[in-house]
Amino acid sequence: KQDLMQILKKMLEQELIQLMQQLLKQDLMQMLKKMLNQMLEQELIQLMQQLLKQDLMQILKKRLKQMLEQEMMQILKKKLNQILTQEMMQIVKKELKQKLKQHL
């Protein structure tokens, strides 16, 4: 009877140990999964931020280029107008001089 109890006790201990090991393994796996997920999330977030920054830079560059082009066009128009106005004034002066000469 004593032997039987001893054997039973041994088996129960063995069973308990296995169970504990299993639980520990599962816990460890859970923890590992959690850590991995966190790391992956972090990595993903950083990647997204980087991509966003690049996109923003692209947009900014494009916008700046547009603004510069518009500015250049304004300046060019203004300059052209000045030149044309001067040219017109020259022509008008010339015409006026000729008319004056004719009348005198």
Side-chain angles (χ1 to χ4, degrees):
K1 199 174 188 184
Q2 194 71 19
D3 266 0
L4 193 60
M5 287 299 283
Q6 204 62 27
I7 290 174
L8 266 178
K9 188 178 171 194
K10 251 313 189 221
M11 281 173 62
L12 275 175
E13 279 177 7
Q14 209 56 35
E15 198 66 32
L16 191 63
I17 288 176
Q18 277 183 340
L19 195 62
M20 293 289 279
Q21 285 175 336
Q22 224 172 353
L23 284 174
L24 257 177
K25 253 191 216 171
Q26 286 176 343
D27 272 359
L28 268 177
M29 285 306 284
Q30 284 303 103
M31 280 170 51
L32 266 179
K33 272 187 193 172
K34 200 174 180 179
M35 279 172 56
L36 255 179
N37 270 339
Q38 283 177 337
M39 285 167 60
L40 276 175
E41 272 177 29
Q42 211 54 38
E43 200 63 32
L44 194 62
I45 288 175
Q46 281 181 334
L47 196 62
M48 291 290 276
Q49 286 174 335
Q50 224 172 351
L51 285 174
L52 260 178
K53 267 187 206 167
Q54 287 174 342
D55 272 358
L56 271 177
M57 284 307 285
Q58 286 303 106
I59 293 172
L60 269 179
K61 277 185 193 172
K62 199 174 178 180
R63 189 68 189 122
L64 258 178
K65 193 177 172 197
Q66 281 177 338
M67 286 168 66
L68 268 175
E69 282 171 3
Q70 286 174 341
E71 199 60 37
M72 288 296 287
M73 284 306 284
Q74 286 302 101
I75 292 172
L76 271 178
K77 278 185 192 172
K78 200 172 180 180
K79 195 62 183 153
L80 257 179
N81 270 339
Q82 283 177 341
I83 291 174
L84 275 176
T85 304
Q86 286 173 345
E87 203 59 43
M88 290 295 286
M89 286 303 285
Q90 290 293 358
I91 293 174
V92 167
K93 274 185 190 174
K94 204 174 184 180
E95 287 290 317
L96 272 176
K97 269 186 184 175
Q98 278 184 351
K99 295 269 183 200
L100 267 175
K101 271 186 183 174
Q102 284 176 1
H103 283 293
L104 289 177

